[in-house]
Every structure is written in C-alpha cells, then in structure tokens.
Amino acid sequence: MKRTIDIAVSLLGLIVFAPLLLLLCLLVWIQDWHSPFYIPMRIGRRERLYRMVKIRSMVIRADTNKVDSTANNDPRITYIGKVIRKCKFDEIPQLWNVLIGDMSLVGPRPNVARETGLYTSEEKRLLIARPGITDISSIVFSDEGSILEDKADPDLAYNQLIRPYKSRFGLLYIDRASTILDFHLIFLTFLCAIDRRSALDRVALLVAKLGAPSDLVTVATRRLPLQPSPPPGANGIVQSRSA
C-alpha cells in the first residue's frame, strides 16, 4: 500500500510541479552557467548507496570541503539558493527518487556516509526503512539552517543539538509507521510551510499520542532552546565527528 501511494503521489507531483521545476532550473543555470541539479550520494534502505536529486542551491563543488551541515549564513549558498532553500524548493526533485523506489514520501531523512558511519547500533535501525522526503524531524527542524547559524563547527553542532532528537523521532516513526500517520505527516509538512507554529504544536500532540517521552514532546514544540544530548544508544554527548 505504501509503495502504491508513493508511486501515485510522486508521479502526480512531478507533473504538477514541472513548470516550477523548469523555472528554477533556468534561474539556477543562468546564475553561473552550471548544472541546476545537485546529485549527491546518500545512504538508503539497508545501507544501499543511491543518488538523491536536488535543485542546486550552492556553488559548484560546494561539498569538496567535507562540511555536511549547512547554516543559513554558509557562504557556499548562492543568492538564488537562499530563496530555494527557504521555500524548500530544492527538495521537489526527490519525487523522482520516490518514483523509482530509492525513497518514500515519508520516512527517516537520508544522510551521507560520513554521518551514518557515526550511527550507534540503535540508530542503525533507521536504515531498515526507505528514507523519506519528510518525517517528524523535517517539521521540527525545518529551521535547521538557523539552528546551525554562527556555530564554529556546524557539523559538531548538528551532532549535539539535532542528530540526537532527529534519530529519536525517526525511530518513533519506524516503530509506529502506518498509512494514516504518513498522510498526517504530509499534511503537517504543508501546514509548516504556511504556519510553522501551528504545525509544531500539532506535531507535539502527535508524538505524544504515539507514546513519545515527555522530553521529546517538549523538543517537538520547539518553544525552548535545544540542549546537547547523546544520540540514541550512546552514553554521552558527541564530542567529535571521528568518534
């Protein structure tokens, strides 16, 4: 059932968003006369590598500096890229990945090998499912760039402030996955683009109903500053990306 819905919705989405995609591709191309697409390698289901398609929002070869987390003030982001990232337009081409089976509409967000290589044995469970375009953490951390802004080491900040909760939300989804939950999260994703505060409050109610512990429900509201936390299955807060 999930795969049938993925195919139908992704195909419809590609058709509906085709004019917008063409316009975005043209705008990105004419800013520096390079490909409008960014096609990085990601770790998919059962740790299989696949190429995820995105509209390019950064300068060419931006990933050569091996910094995986992106703050809003990252100098690699182009002028047009700032608009694209703010509106999440760069994610639309991932409907193609959903159509061909690399991804699902809803599922744990995909990550690069450098990050999944740091996963604990508990976090490895995130890789049993197809990665998704959206999930609980996509809504809760839709402002990821702002969270990492002005951080001396964005990657370390990601591993201390975002990864622990992102992984916990992902594991909660895997343990409670259902078609109804998927449609609920898709609705909340669209609501987040219109009224983020309302979406966050609804997500908090949702994760509470799913049986999330109180601290995770509090994080879902995003009303308090994020605090460093150990990833699921770890004994302490990440101090280095090499450990």
Side-chain angles (χ1 to χ4, degrees), residues 135-183:
D135 67 345
I136 299 171
S137 67
S138 296
I139 302 167
V140 175
F141 300 117
S142 59
D143 62 337
E144 180 175 322
S146 297
I147 297 171
L148 301 178
E149 195 168 350
D150 297 325
K151 294 294 190 294
D153 186 338
D155 284 334
L156 182 58
Y158 168 85
N159 276 277
Q160 293 178 338
L161 299 173
I162 298 177
R163 170 189 163 193
Y165 306 112
K166 181 178 179 180
S167 293
R168 290 175 66 188
F169 283 129
L171 292 170
L172 179 67
Y173 169 79
I174 287 175
D175 291 338
R176 302 288 191 274
S178 69
T179 301
I180 293 177
L181 178 58
D182 283 0
F183 278 118

Side-chain angles (χ1 to χ4, degrees), residues 1-13:
M1 180 67 171
K2 184 179 178 70
R3 182 64 188 138
T4 301
I5 294 173
D6 280 347
I7 293 173
V9 175
S10 61
L11 181 58
L12 177 61

Side-chain angles (χ1 to χ4, degrees), residues 58 67-77 82 85 143-155 157:
M58 292 186 169
V67 176
D68 299 316
S69 303
T70 308
N72 281 346
N73 60 345
D74 194 314
R76 298 175 298 170
I77 303 175
K82 290 179 181 179
R85 294 175 72 90
D143 62 337
E144 180 175 322
S146 297
I147 297 171
L148 301 178
E149 195 168 350
D150 297 325
K151 294 294 190 294
D153 186 338
D155 284 334

